[in-house]
Amino acid sequence: MNEVLLPGVGLRYEFDTAEGNRIGIVARRDGRFEVVDYDRRDPDRSRLLLRLTEEEADAVAEILGAPRIAERFADLTREVPGLSAGQVEVAADSRYVDRPLGETRARTRTGASIVAIVRGEAVIASPSPVEVLRAKDVLVVIGTPDGIAGVDRIIHAP
Amino acid sequence: MHTSVALLLELGLILTALSALGALARRFALTPVPLYLLAGLALGEGGIAPVPAADEFVEIGAAIGVVLLLLTLGLEFSLGEFAASARRHVRSAVVDLVLNATPGAVVGWLVGLSPLGVLALAGATWVSSSGIIARLLTDLGRLGNRETPAVLSVLVLEDFAMAAYLPLLTVLAAGGSWWQAGLGVLLAVGAVAVAFVASRRWGHQIGRLLSHPEPEQLMLRVLGTTLVVAGLAELVGASAAVGAFLVGLTLTGVVADRARAVLAPLRDLFAATFFLAIGFAVDVRALLPLLPAAIALAAVTAGTKVLTGAYAASLDGVGRWGRLRAGTALIPRGEFSIVILGLAAVADPTLGALVTAYVLVLAITGPVLARLVRAPLPARSGPNVRVDRR
């Protein structure tokens, strides 16, 4: 995966597929995305395939990636009655953005555990209380349904 | 409170007309800037329909317009992007400066401008319009192209160079000597460095200080702070524009994103007023005789921009057609050439007319030229999306 900076616009990711196509994904600063591929005869020139709004890109990401993580935890929680797994997104205006995880006191207050933080492509497994939360992090929470709802309320409290 | 009927009517009609012009420009995928200038020419000195009552508002609005243009430029800016661009494209930026400022300076000297006028015209031919070009690249679906980072890097470095160039121009325009101007530049560059450090170390706290969940509060805080800093910068002789740029630089992350969003409509209104005011100040009768000179200058500096873009793209190892695309994409001049004019033209009607005509020519033909350049490749089959040409 190749990463190219587009100053003032955003970032472009490029990679070759197993079949030999070159795919480019432009992640714009305003949250929109463009998916392009490259002409084999003129590798400098891209061909626009898709333009995605932020919501559409989220939907695509969810279809392609995010459920897999939740799925794995779902398998795990099926073993224990009453236990479930959920995801809580840290909104950009959440008061816990750039604050350590421990400050939420989520487990003390709800009994649910935050077992992983999904940040972009990275997954931080069993995060420690000093782990600093960022905007758009997705917290993977294990606990009772009430506990998960409680974590959601804490993170989204104004 | 007394309401001036004439002011309301004139301003209302002007804004309605601008909206119609803006819609027309978008229809042909052009920038509205040249049309706003034309509207200003038609309404101002020597124009067909003078608007005495709206004059004062336009004048005040223009000053705020410059501040907002530079504030949003600063908000767009990130240190990481600047550092990456500088690492790769300092040579392109030097080529850009030498190739494109020189024709402006030579023509300025030939038509008998003052040294200040020569400096201003050189600046006007040097800076491409990052606003027009970023939009153009998106509209043409070229963000994925390999030459695009080179084009954007040149723009970022130009914008950054404005932080040194604008105070130089402001001090000289205010009748300062060259050593005072040098001092002004040092002060501004120092302030930019401080702003960068401040944004890195305390950007968070500063952001939190200005941030508020209510959009209205955020807008008032950011706007208020910016105007105060701009005023102070003007007071010490740097330039209100540079002060506003500094505020933009200092704000980063989520606050910058939100500030951009809440300020965008204000910026559009006041920037339009600013372009209008520039048109007001220029006498059409002075403009017409200078049109041939402006067109010649436009032709030459379009050529030099193509060379600049081709050189920058070649540094990134881009092929022949990509280099040509990069070059033509850089041709449009726009808001910053006009900002430069706004700072310098107080005393020089020739400069005003020349730069206005020059921007009119390149803001319209630049995007058209960029559009025309495409490699002669047969269309490939398979699914594709129509490139949006609104």
Side-chain angles (χ1 to χ4, degrees), chain A residues 4-10 12 14 26 28-29 34 36-51 92-93 97-99 135, chain B residues 76 81 84-85 138-139 141 143-149 152-153 156 204 208 254 260 318-319 321 325 374-375 377-378 380-381 383-385 388:
Chain A
V4 184
L5 186 69
L6 300 177
V9 174
R12 184 171 78 212
E14 299 167 346
V26 178
R28 299 173 54 111
R29 269 197 201 157
E34 287 181 13
V36 302
D37 72 349
Y38 291 87
D39 202 300
R40 289 182 200 200
R41 279 158 296 187
D42 180 358
D44 293 342
R45 186 173 176 190
S46 65
R47 198 171 60 139
L48 185 64
L49 297 177
L50 292 170
R51 279 203 174 120
D93 57 355
V97 169
D98 298 324
R99 314 294 313 168
Chain B
E76 293 278 338
E81 289 181 349
S85 304
T138 308
D139 285 352
L143 291 181
N145 285 13
R146 210 195 304 173
E147 78 273 6
T148 299
L152 295 172
S153 294
V156 164
H204 228 76
R208 187 160 299 179
V254 184
R260 258 207 306 274
V318 174
W321 281 103
R325 281 194 298 269
R374 24 177 72 203
L377 282 173
R380 248 168 48 168
S381 57
N384 201 348
V385 218
D388 190 4

Side-chain angles (χ1 to χ4, degrees), chain B residues 219-314:
Chain B
M219 188 264 285
L220 290 176
R221 287 180 190 189
V222 175
L223 188 63
T225 312
T226 307
L227 291 179
V228 168
V229 174
L232 290 177
E234 191 77 35
L235 190 70
V236 299
S239 160
V242 174
F245 184 58
L246 288 178
V247 176
L249 284 184
T250 317
L251 292 178
T252 50
V254 184
V255 185
D257 290 343
R258 289 189 54 218
R260 258 207 306 274
V262 295
L263 289 172
L266 270 185
R267 189 223 25 218
D268 292 346
L269 170 65
F270 286 107
T273 316
F274 168 65
F275 298 131
L276 206 62
I278 293 291
F280 272 14
V282 173
D283 191 337
V284 187
R285 284 160 299 190
L287 189 140
L288 288 177
L290 285 168
L291 206 53
I295 291 175
L297 186 58
V300 171
T301 54
T304 51
K305 271 291 176 190
V306 172
L307 293 178
T308 308
Y311 175 75
S314 74

Side-chain angles (χ1 to χ4, degrees), chain A:
Chain A
M1 177 88 77
N2 202 357
E3 214 180 286
V4 184
L5 186 69
L6 300 177
V9 174
L11 272 174
R12 184 171 78 212
Y13 304 93
E14 299 167 346
F15 60 95
D16 292 314
T17 62
E19 286 196 350
N21 292 316
R22 193 163 182 73
I23 305 279
I25 297 178
V26 178
R28 299 173 54 111
R29 269 197 201 157
D30 55 16
R32 286 178 295 164
F33 287 84
E34 287 181 13
V35 182
V36 302
D37 72 349
Y38 291 87
D39 202 300
R40 289 182 200 200
R41 279 158 296 187
D42 180 358
D44 293 342
R45 186 173 176 190
S46 65
R47 198 171 60 139
L48 185 64
L49 297 177
L50 292 170
R51 279 203 174 120
L52 301 174
T53 64
E54 201 166 357
E55 293 80 29
E56 290 157 357
D58 278 350
V60 173
E62 212 153 285
I63 293 164
L64 296 181
R68 292 199 192 167
I69 295 162
E71 245 168 51
R72 279 175 222 151
F73 285 110
D75 288 345
L76 187 90
T77 51
R78 212 165 291 143
E79 315 283 322
V80 186
L83 197 62
S84 34
Q87 297 180 27
V88 176
E89 202 195 57
V90 181
D93 57 355
S94 166
R95 71 159 82 166
Y96 294 109
V97 169
D98 298 324
R99 314 294 313 168
L101 175 61
E103 217 169 272
T104 64
R105 293 177 46 242
R107 186 158 50 195
T108 322
R109 288 157 72 182
T110 66
S113 303
I114 293 162
V115 294
I117 301 175
V118 184
R119 178 172 300 159
E121 289 169 13
V123 176
I124 304 162
S126 327
S128 66
V130 294
E131 190 66 48
V132 176
L133 295 179
R134 304 285 179 208
K136 300 207 173 150
D137 277 359
V138 175
L139 311 180
V140 180
V141 190
I142 300 234
T144 61
D146 284 349
I148 294 168
V151 172
D152 193 80
R153 270 197 302 279
I154 291 172
I155 297 294
H156 286 113

Side-chain angles (χ1 to χ4, degrees), chain B residues 25-41:
Chain B
R26 290 275 178 259
R27 175 90 187 68
F28 294 100
L30 292 172
T31 156
V33 174
L35 295 183
Y36 292 169
L37 286 174
L38 282 177
L41 283 175

Side-chain angles (χ1 to χ4, degrees), chain B residues 126-369:
Chain B
W126 166 34
V127 275
S128 293
S129 163
S130 38
I132 296 178
I133 295 168
R135 197 186 162 87
L136 185 68
L137 292 174
T138 308
D139 285 352
L140 293 178
R142 287 194 186 162
L143 291 181
N145 285 13
R146 210 195 304 173
E147 78 273 6
T148 299
V151 173
L152 295 172
S153 294
V154 169
L155 294 179
V156 164
L157 294 174
E158 272 181 6
D159 291 346
F160 190 73
M162 286 290 104
Y165 175 82
L166 292 181
L168 179 70
L169 197 68
T170 317
V171 175
L172 290 177
S177 63
W178 283 94
W179 69 264
Q180 280 168 321
L183 209 65
V185 171
L186 282 182
L187 194 71
V189 171
V192 167
V194 170
F196 265 148
V197 173
S199 125
R200 255 185 115 69
R201 300 198 54 168
W202 305 291
H204 228 76
Q205 281 87 330
I206 299 171
R208 187 160 299 179
L209 214 62
L210 292 178
S211 173
H212 194 278
E214 293 278 329
E216 186 189 347
Q217 273 291 325
L218 180 72
M219 188 264 285
L220 290 176
R221 287 180 190 189
V222 175
L223 188 63
T225 312
T226 307
L227 291 179
V228 168
V229 174
L232 290 177
E234 191 77 35
L235 190 70
V236 299
S239 160
V242 174
F245 184 58
L246 288 178
V247 176
L249 284 184
T250 317
L251 292 178
T252 50
V254 184
V255 185
D257 290 343
R258 289 189 54 218
R260 258 207 306 274
V262 295
L263 289 172
L266 270 185
R267 189 223 25 218
D268 292 346
L269 170 65
F270 286 107
T273 316
F274 168 65
F275 298 131
L276 206 62
I278 293 291
F280 272 14
V282 173
D283 191 337
V284 187
R285 284 160 299 190
L287 189 140
L288 288 177
L290 285 168
L291 206 53
I295 291 175
L297 186 58
V300 171
T301 54
T304 51
K305 271 291 176 190
V306 172
L307 293 178
T308 308
Y311 175 75
S314 74
L315 288 185
D316 282 0
V318 174
R320 195 162 56 100
W321 281 103
R323 292 205 291 268
L324 193 57
R325 281 194 298 269
T328 47
L330 280 173
I331 293 175
R333 315 293 205 281
E335 67 278 21
F336 285 103
S337 303
I338 299 293
V339 167
I340 290 169
L341 171 62
L343 291 179
V346 198
D348 207 331
T350 314
L351 176 71
L354 191 57
V355 174
T356 306
Y358 174 78
V359 171
L360 281 176
V361 171
L362 280 187
I364 294 174
T365 55
V368 175
L369 286 172

